[in-house]
Amino acid sequence: MKHTLLLIFLLSIVSGQLFAQAKPINEESFITIGGIEQWVTISSEDRSKPVILFLHGGPGSTMSPYDDAIYGHWKKEFVPVYWDQRGAGRTFGRNAPEEVTEDYWIENPLTVEQMTADGIELSEYLLKHLGKKKITLVGTSWGSILGANMALARPDLYTAYIGHSQIVNYTSGFVNAYNMVQQMAKDANDQESLDKLAALGSPPYEDARKEGQLMRIIKNYEKQNSVAAPPTWWKLKPEYDNEKDTQDRYNGDDYSFLHFAGHKQMGIKPMAADVDFMKNGLHYKIPVYLIQGDKDILTAPDLTKAYFDKVKAPKKEFVLVPGAAHGHNQAVVDAQYKAVKKALKLK
């Protein structure tokens, strides 16, 4: 009898250990969101861990081709989810015609409202599919517009919102960036950039090409004054290193940027022109963390901090990252990791 009880006890321990073992998840598929098929990847060493939904910038700058290089180590503690947004990457390739023309650009507009709705629908799918109560949002640059809108509209879905390079007011932000980079060019006696800036004039523009030219000058100065990400971060995963995916990323980036910047000659309005969180994005019902590079020109630290100071939230934190510009580097990713841990109250 004693031997039988001991055997039962040992078996119960072993079965408990087996039951507690991590169950990995690795899903890459098209999911119907907003009436179209959109590309979503879910990968983790343990599907029971908290879900992190990353909202990429650009718009059009998908993260799915590079996720292992940047956030691969997060898979031990979290369930990272990457989404090729409407008009970007594999989602663009799945829904666009074989030959993309100007007519397609004009007849298929992108809007903040539609893409926010897409993000909320994806969140609802993930909660049901993964058996979760809440998701943590991490949005970068353009993704910070979606992230803030999603968090404001449906706080019941999210544990916290973590915004990196937060866009506060699209129009005034670009005017501020123009003025900042113009002063930097003067200080550097950079006549070539000053001539280009004079020819462009101050934004807003009615031609997407002008905004692209200003962005190149801004990125050049950010690069000179900040700590870059490791080059290995931007190496494509083998399954994305092919002609079709490359073309879809290229075409989707053009399409998305055209609608982001707007182009009056084609009748395309800038989809973020009305974004102003100072007016309609100050009251959150969930914790808010804003992560900001101190060398960021495009979304300047003083504008982000002014917004943060007015935000009302159950908990809020502003993190200024030394040496970081508008994009990612290791210090930014480390700050995001710390913010997620705080939001989830994990040690």
Side-chain angles (χ1 to χ4, degrees), residues 202-278:
S202 180
Y205 305 123
E206 296 179 344
D207 186 328
R209 291 168 295 189
K210 285 190 174 183
E211 191 159 309
Q213 290 166 14
L214 175 58
M215 292 277 281
R216 282 192 288 274
I217 298 171
I218 290 170
K219 288 181 179 180
N220 181 51
Y221 270 91
E222 286 192 341
K223 184 178 180 181
Q224 291 178 29
N225 295 290
S226 63
V227 178
T232 53
W233 280 14
W234 313 121
K235 183 179 179 181
L236 293 172
K237 294 168 69 175
E239 59 265 40
Y240 290 87
D241 191 7
N242 58 74
E243 185 176 349
K244 175 169 173 47
D245 275 312
T246 299
Q247 194 64 43
D248 289 341
R249 284 194 302 274
Y250 178 83
N251 287 338
D253 191 54
D254 278 354
Y255 168 71
S256 297
F257 183 75
L258 183 67
H259 284 278
F260 178 73
H263 199 78
K264 186 176 181 180
Q265 188 176 357
M266 297 172 66
I268 297 175
K269 297 179 180 179
M271 61 177 173
D274 296 329
V275 169
D276 185 358
F277 290 116
M278 277 291 197

Side-chain angles (χ1 to χ4, degrees), residues 306-317:
Y307 171 62
F308 172 83
D309 289 342
K310 289 184 177 294
V311 162
K312 304 295 182 184
K315 176 181 174 59
K316 66 176 185 175
E317 186 172 335

Side-chain angles (χ1 to χ4, degrees), residues 38-326:
Q38 303 198 33
W39 183 250
V40 177
T41 67
I42 308 170
S43 184
S44 174
E45 294 180 16
D46 185 353
R47 65 181 299 150
S48 71
K49 298 296 185 180
V51 176
I52 313 296
L53 175 56
F54 289 96
L55 305 171
H56 65 71
S61 301
T62 56
M63 297 175 64
S64 50
Y66 317 105
D67 67 319
D68 283 335
I70 304 174
Y71 294 104
H73 62 290
W74 288 38
K75 295 180 180 182
K76 292 182 179 180
E77 300 176 75
F78 309 110
V79 181
V81 178
Y82 305 95
W83 164 39
D84 286 16
Q85 298 161 15
R86 182 182 295 262
R90 286 190 171 178
T91 298
F92 177 85
R94 186 74 159 190
N95 296 283
E98 187 172 339
E99 183 180 352
V100 178
T101 64
E102 287 189 6
D103 286 341
Y104 179 80
W105 291 344
I106 295 168
E107 294 167 6
N108 293 272
L110 291 175
T111 68
V112 172
E113 293 76 17
Q114 177 63 68
M115 295 176 73
T116 299
D118 286 350
I120 290 171
E121 186 175 339
L122 172 60
S123 300
E124 292 173 330
Y125 165 84
L126 292 170
L127 291 174
K128 183 176 180 180
H129 180 62
L130 297 172
K132 305 294 182 182
K133 293 182 179 179
K134 302 271 186 174
I135 291 170
T136 301
L137 286 175
V138 178
T140 289
S141 187
W142 154 257
S144 75
I145 293 177
L146 295 186
N149 275 330
M150 290 161 64
L152 289 162
R154 290 294 305 276
D156 57 303
L157 302 177
Y158 310 110
T159 54
Y161 167 58
I162 299 167
H164 164 229
S165 296
Q166 180 70 46
I167 294 175
V168 177
N169 181 303
Y170 168 83
T171 302
S172 64
F174 266 100
V175 172
N176 185 75
Y178 177 91
N179 293 335
M180 283 182 65
V181 80
Q182 186 179 54
Q183 186 60 53
M184 295 172 81
K186 288 178 180 177
D187 294 343
N189 294 316
D190 179 2
Q191 194 58 48
E192 181 181 355
S193 292
L194 286 171
D195 290 343
K196 289 179 180 178
L197 290 167
L200 288 172
S202 180
Y205 305 123
E206 296 179 344
D207 186 328
R209 291 168 295 189
K210 285 190 174 183
E211 191 159 309
Q213 290 166 14
L214 175 58
M215 292 277 281
R216 282 192 288 274
I217 298 171
I218 290 170
K219 288 181 179 180
N220 181 51
Y221 270 91
E222 286 192 341
K223 184 178 180 181
Q224 291 178 29
N225 295 290
S226 63
V227 178
T232 53
W233 280 14
W234 313 121
K235 183 179 179 181
L236 293 172
K237 294 168 69 175
E239 59 265 40
Y240 290 87
D241 191 7
N242 58 74
E243 185 176 349
K244 175 169 173 47
D245 275 312
T246 299
Q247 194 64 43
D248 289 341
R249 284 194 302 274
Y250 178 83
N251 287 338
D253 191 54
D254 278 354
Y255 168 71
S256 297
F257 183 75
L258 183 67
H259 284 278
F260 178 73
H263 199 78
K264 186 176 181 180
Q265 188 176 357
M266 297 172 66
I268 297 175
K269 297 179 180 179
M271 61 177 173
D274 296 329
V275 169
D276 185 358
F277 290 116
M278 277 291 197
K279 287 185 177 180
N280 52 25
L282 293 174
H283 299 280
Y284 291 83
K285 294 182 179 180
I286 60 174
V288 174
Y289 299 80
L290 297 185
I291 296 169
Q292 177 65 50
D294 72 342
K295 303 300 182 185
D296 190 337
I297 299 171
L298 196 58
T299 53
D302 57 336
L303 298 184
T304 308
K305 184 59 165 61
Y307 171 62
F308 172 83
D309 289 342
K310 289 184 177 294
V311 162
K312 304 295 182 184
K315 176 181 174 59
K316 66 176 185 175
E317 186 172 335
F318 181 82
V319 182
L320 188 65
V321 183
H326 188 71

